[in-house]
Amino acid sequence: MERRRSFPDVLAGGMFILIGGAFVVGALGYELGTPLRMGPGAFPVLVGALVAALGLAIVVKGLIAGEVAEFGPVPWRAIAVIVLAVMFFGFTVRGLGFVPTSAVTALLTTLASTRVRPLMAVAVAAGLTLAATLIFVVGLQLRIPLWGPWLGF
Amino acid sequence: MELLDNLALGFSTALLIQNVLYCFVGVLLGTAVGVLPGIGPTATVAMLLPITFNFEPVTALIMLAGIYYGAQYGGSTTAILINLPGESSAAVTALDGHEMARQGRAGAALATAAIGSFIAGTVSTVVLAVAAPPLARVALQFGAAEYFSLVLLGLIVSIALARGTALKALAMIFLGVLLGTVGQDIYTGTPRFTFDQRELYGGIDFVSVAVGMFGVAEILRNLENEQTRTAIVTKVKNLWPTREDRRRIAGPILRGTGLGAALGVLPGGGHVLASFTSYAVEKRISKRQQEFGHGAIEGVAGPESANNAAAQTSFIPLLTLGLPAHPVMALMIGAFIVHGITPGPNVITEEPALFWGLIASMWIGNVLLVLLNLPLIGLWVRMLRIPYQVLFPMIVLFASIGTYSLGFNAYDVYAIAFFGILGYVLIKCGCEPAPLLLGFVLGPLLEENLRRALIISRGDASVFLTRPISAVLLVLALAALVVAVLPTIRKRREVVFTEED
């Protein structure tokens, strides 16, 4: 029988092993307790070991009879831009206020598409900021200041 | 009659003006996201959940439920018109529905889907009203051991939700359970896996997990190769099916309704199973088997009725046991908890107006859906022209605002980015996100009941097998696991055999 190695399967299994293992190691630092009174560490150790074991099975299966042939293209630009946009929102919304943060987040996000034109990006960002302000602050009374303290208000 | 009294209470709640209004908003939004490719009901409910925290609990749940079954409806519209099922359960509808559209019978296909869904919705609302109270009474007898086994069964059955192999789905479920342990331990208060960050003591918010896994990861998938979308069917005319059509769809609609109502009760993926089963049944018993796949109207009527019936009855495990059958319901559990209601068998006795109001609202929602879909079909077709470059920034921005407004906690927003990337990589590797979300929501329940059951039994683990209901549930879980694994074994053997040839 011909062997079909699958990189994505091995990667998925590896991630399960890594995450499961990390939780087991972390949980061993907490009290395990007895079966009668399980400590905070017992359940994560059990489940973490199970996840790691399943991960190992996926790796083995991926080496013998893989199913996902290719990982496919990765939109690096979109990943970088969207992560940056979301982090920016979380980091500045308190300081800059709702309107500037929303505008920059929306503008950054539009750049994730390789087809976007500058004029359209600005138009989309402006429209979304207006819509978000009307929906969340005016309509739903969300208690976030429109302009934040970093701007001197 | 007790049932009539209960339904009267339900309709008096559901017909309150604000409840009808938000039911309408729910099904409207649901249809919209069902129609729009690239955004699904799970991401939508996750984004809107924080908004509903200000509503009355019953109003909030009516709207969220409306989004869920509205999306099932909208998904079939795109399946018929552009061969792009918005929801996994609509994939079967695309087979014959899109073929009908290409033959110029899109109107008849859409009307059939609408009529079938409406009849199925009406019948299964009654099923829900009749079946839920006795089940809730049984569930009230459940102790910690039974609940542990039940949650485990629900998790195992949810493997059916995933398209990949059972092994990966299983790993995703328990990865979700594992992520659910982050935060303070319920019994001792010990902070677990929090890296000494006070913001993580409350655990990871499931809204962030859902928005990241279903919203952001999906956007990244769509941005892999950008193509301009092609709208195919421009004008829809001749909505009303002919007399011949009406004669042909009656049987499939009734059979589909029955199948869907029965299979929807299964925790996990019942609606997908129902539409596939219904299609198979219709094809087998039809005298015109060769027409299937080439625009047989029965192939639209049966699966559409089945999927809508299952969408309604899948609320039975949620309302009686507190078990979600779909990621959207996992989010609804969160909505229950935020409003101080523990989802489970107690809801029906402690919050009768909420329980019956939600059920009655589903029938009202089905009426609204017919009104929305048939006359406004042109509007939905036009919505398909919204460029994706406008849609995805909207999803990212609204998701950030929504998760931040949960608790004004920046960590909830950072978590979106984290789970977006984690979800993206896992999806690329063939792991579906739905089981992870269910595991994440049910994980704490699993741990709590495991530990409580062991305390009650004085550390004797055999309690799960000596209590009859618990033992039966565990046997069912084992059976579900074997069934889920079997097809892959069979497929493997087929592969081996063909290679030997």
Side-chain angles (χ1 to χ4, degrees):
Chain A
M1 192 175 114
E2 194 195 344
R3 289 192 166 194
R4 289 176 305 152
R5 287 226 175 91
S6 160
F7 166 69
D9 282 11
V10 175
L11 177 68
M15 283 172 64
F16 288 124
I17 295 175
L18 206 69
I19 299 176
F23 269 88
V24 170
V25 171
L28 286 175
Y30 307 120
E31 201 189 328
L32 290 179
T34 61
L36 173 56
R37 271 193 194 285
M38 287 167 92
F43 188 72
V45 166
L46 284 175
V47 179
L50 186 61
V51 170
L54 287 167
L56 195 64
I58 293 170
V59 169
V60 171
K61 191 161 170 289
L63 289 175
I64 301 168
E67 44 168 317
V68 184
E70 274 187 41
F71 196 73
V74 177
W76 292 111
R77 169 183 166 140
I79 293 178
V81 166
I82 289 178
V83 168
L84 195 68
V86 170
M87 300 295 264
F88 178 85
F89 186 95
F91 194 71
T92 64
V93 66
R94 201 176 285 267
L96 285 178
F98 188 84
V99 174
T101 304
S102 296
V104 175
T105 304
L107 191 66
L108 268 177
T109 313
T110 55
L111 299 178
S113 165
T114 46
R115 298 186 164 203
V116 74
R117 292 183 301 275
L119 199 65
M120 175 158 170
V122 174
V124 169
L128 284 180
T129 308
L130 182 70
T133 311
L134 286 179
I135 294 173
F136 288 95
V137 182
V138 179
L140 296 161
Q141 309 276 313
L142 195 66
R143 283 168 294 114
I144 303 178
L146 287 180
W147 308 93
W150 290 358
L151 298 171
F153 287 93
Chain B
M1 277 248 325
E2 200 189 354
L3 181 66
L4 290 182
D5 288 343
N6 288 333
L7 283 178
L9 171 69
F11 276 101
S12 65
T13 313
L15 284 171
L16 290 176
I17 190 77
Q18 77 267 27
N19 290 345
V20 174
L21 183 71
Y22 279 105
C23 184
F24 178 75
V25 172
V27 294
L28 186 72
L29 274 171
T31 313
V33 300
V35 168
L36 287 171
I39 175 166
T42 311
T44 312
V45 170
M47 280 193 286
L48 292 178
L49 198 61
I51 295 174
T52 64
F53 291 171
N54 303 323
F55 297 176
E56 289 283 311
V58 61
T59 311
L61 290 166
I62 283 175
M63 183 172 115
L64 297 176
I67 295 176
Y68 171 67
Y69 53 77
Q72 305 288 342
Y73 225 101
S76 50
T77 306
T78 42
I80 290 170
L81 291 180
I82 58 170
N83 201 15
L84 201 82
E87 265 276 281
S88 47
S89 52
V92 189
T93 312
L95 295 176
D96 278 291
H98 185 61
E99 204 56 42
M100 284 179 74
R102 286 177 54 183
Q103 294 165 9
R105 309 218 307 135
L110 289 167
T112 303
I115 297 165
S117 298
F118 176 72
I119 294 174
T122 308
V123 173
S124 51
T125 303
V126 177
V127 173
L128 178 55
V130 173
L135 250 174
R137 269 196 293 280
V138 174
L140 274 176
Q141 317 288 321
F142 279 22
E146 283 81 9
Y147 255 104
F148 171 82
S149 306
L150 183 70
V151 172
L152 200 62
L153 171 65
L155 286 176
I156 303 276
V157 174
S158 80
I159 294 176
L161 277 176
R163 274 190 292 271
T165 57
L167 200 58
K168 283 178 179 166
L170 210 56
M172 287 297 268
I173 291 170
F174 287 105
L175 183 61
V177 174
L178 203 53
L179 290 169
T181 62
V182 173
Q184 274 183 317
D185 174 35
I186 33 165
Y187 284 98
T188 59
T190 315
R192 298 189 288 192
F193 315 111
T194 54
F195 305 105
D196 289 328
Q197 300 290 321
R198 196 153 273 285
E199 284 86 349
L200 279 174
Y201 276 27
I204 304 166
D205 205 290
F206 62 91
V207 174
S208 305
V209 180
V211 168
M213 289 255 167
F214 287 86
V216 175
E218 189 60 34
I219 291 172
L220 294 176
R221 289 280 291 165
N222 288 327
L223 288 176
E224 274 172 8
N225 40 34
E226 296 180 61
Q227 290 161 344
T228 27
R229 234 180 272 140
T230 45
I232 297 171
V233 179
T234 41
K235 274 269 181 288
V236 178
K237 40 186 191 231
N238 294 338
L239 267 179
W240 200 243
T242 61
R243 177 178 302 198
E244 163 75 2
D245 288 338
R246 288 204 296 272
R247 201 179 50 73
R248 283 175 63 178
I249 62 177
I253 286 178
L254 292 180
R255 282 188 291 271
T257 303
L259 264 175
L263 290 174
V265 185
L266 290 177
H271 59 295
V272 184
L273 201 63
S275 53
F276 276 87
T277 313
S278 163
Y279 189 81
V281 167
E282 292 309 325
K283 192 173 175 182
R284 179 154 303 171
I285 64 173
S286 170
K287 294 191 201 86
R288 288 180 277 249
Q289 282 192 11
Q290 70 285 358
E291 271 185 41
F292 276 79
H294 303 286
I297 199 165
E298 292 93 341
V300 176
E304 271 307 300
S305 315
N307 125 38
N308 208 49
Q312 311 279 326
T313 52
S314 59
F315 279 91
I316 291 178
L318 177 76
L319 290 172
T320 56
L321 305 169
L323 278 188
H326 188 274
V328 168
M329 290 181 194
L331 291 166
M332 287 181 72
I333 288 205
F336 272 106
I337 292 169
V338 165
H339 287 292
I341 305 164
T342 315
N346 288 321
V347 174
I348 191 169
T349 42
E350 284 169 15
E351 305 273 349
L354 181 143
F355 183 88
W356 294 104
L358 184 58
I359 290 179
S361 83
M362 289 181 196
W363 189 77
I364 297 171
N366 272 289
V367 176
L368 291 173
L369 275 172
V370 173
L371 298 179
L372 262 177
N373 272 269
L374 292 184
L376 291 181
I377 190 70
L379 179 77
W380 303 120
V381 176
R382 222 166 297 147
M383 262 187 69
L384 286 168
R385 302 219 183 100
I386 298 179
Y388 197 59
Q389 280 93 332
V390 177
L391 266 184
F392 79 83
M394 185 182 86
I395 300 170
V396 172
L397 179 63
F398 284 17
S400 307
I401 298 171
T403 35
Y404 182 72
S405 68
L406 284 173
F408 300 97
N409 182 346
Y411 276 74
D412 289 338
V413 185
Y414 301 148
I416 303 176
F418 176 79
F419 284 103
I421 293 177
L422 182 70
Y424 175 69
V425 176
L426 286 169
I427 292 170
K428 289 279 265 187
C429 295
C431 303
E432 295 261 320
L436 185 142
L437 191 65
L438 285 188
F440 183 79
V441 172
L442 291 177
L445 221 58
L446 198 66
E447 180 181 9
E448 189 188 337
N449 285 301
L450 172 68
R451 284 163 77 173
R452 189 185 296 156
L454 286 176
I455 290 172
I456 295 169
S457 75
R458 305 193 167 274
D460 180 11
S462 69
V463 64
F464 298 107
L465 295 173
T466 49
R467 294 186 61 135
I469 298 178
S470 167
V472 169
L473 292 169
L474 283 180
V475 168
L476 285 176
L478 191 67
L481 191 61
V482 171
V483 170
V485 175
L486 264 184
T488 51
I489 297 173
R490 215 181 304 133
K491 220 185 299 163
R492 276 282 306 286
R493 288 186 54 193
E494 275 165 24
V495 171
V496 173
F497 287 147
T498 46
E499 274 168 2
E500 276 173 359
D501 288 341

